[in-house]
Amino acid sequence: MPTRRRTLTAVTTPAADQEQRATLPVYEHGTAAAHLLTRRQLRASGLRPGGHDPVALLRCRRCAYRPLRQCTRPAYLYDSRLALPRRTPTLAQEEALDRAMAARQTCTTCRTRQPYCLPRADRRCTACATGADLAAAA
């Protein structure tokens, strides 16, 4: 059976998102006001948008060379003056995250917790995996 050839298609956004983009002011990379920050910048500052909608769009650095082209990777900008402090997780949430990470980091063979996430295929640490591979080869 012949396989279908994949073709690149333009990324489409919902009509509401396109309307919102049309009404927001657009800034080139590096020209936005100092109080306008992306989500990552807000997070690094210990803030969150706080339910406010984005106030502007930031065109990516690549699109600065093509001013007539519509940016394919715009970033939403939020007003840091309206942002709220980031919420801290509760003790129960932190415990649940620790249990989940323990499940990902505990070796199934030697039952020790490693400081890194183990491969999903067998959940064995490198010492157990290489030891078993050497024993199977002998």
Side-chain angles (χ1 to χ4, degrees):
M1 179 176 207
T3 60
R4 250 188 176 168
R5 185 174 179 179
R6 292 185 179 187
T7 58
L8 296 175
T9 58
V11 177
T12 58
T13 57
D17 191 33
Q18 287 181 351
E19 288 176 14
Q20 183 183 13
R21 283 186 180 186
T23 60
L24 294 176
V26 178
Y27 292 98
E28 292 295 329
H29 182 76
T31 61
H35 67 278
L36 297 178
L37 302 173
T38 62
R39 276 187 178 268
R40 282 191 182 190
Q41 292 169 332
L42 284 174
R43 183 140 181 101
S45 305
L47 301 172
R48 62 186 169 100
H52 296 286
D53 291 333
V55 295
L57 276 175
L58 179 69
R59 286 171 50 97
C60 64
R61 186 178 300 185
R62 176 188 271 176
C63 292
Y65 299 111
R66 300 176 186 94
L68 299 178
R69 178 180 164 205
Q70 183 178 0
C71 185
T72 56
R73 297 180 311 268
Y76 289 115
L77 294 174
Y78 297 88
D79 193 345
S80 62
R81 297 173 295 190
L82 301 175
L84 300 174
R86 209 168 56 186
R87 291 184 288 208
T88 57
T90 64
L91 186 60
Q93 289 172 331
E94 287 183 1
E95 288 173 355
L97 287 173
D98 187 50
R99 285 193 306 269
M101 287 305 293
R104 294 178 67 190
Q105 295 174 341
T106 304
C107 177
T108 56
T109 307
C110 62
R111 306 303 298 165
T112 58
R113 186 169 176 177
Q114 302 297 324
Y116 56 90
C117 290
L118 301 171
R120 290 189 335 196
D122 57 358
R123 292 278 187 232
R124 291 188 297 172
C125 62
T126 53
C128 293
T130 55
D133 291 342
L134 291 175

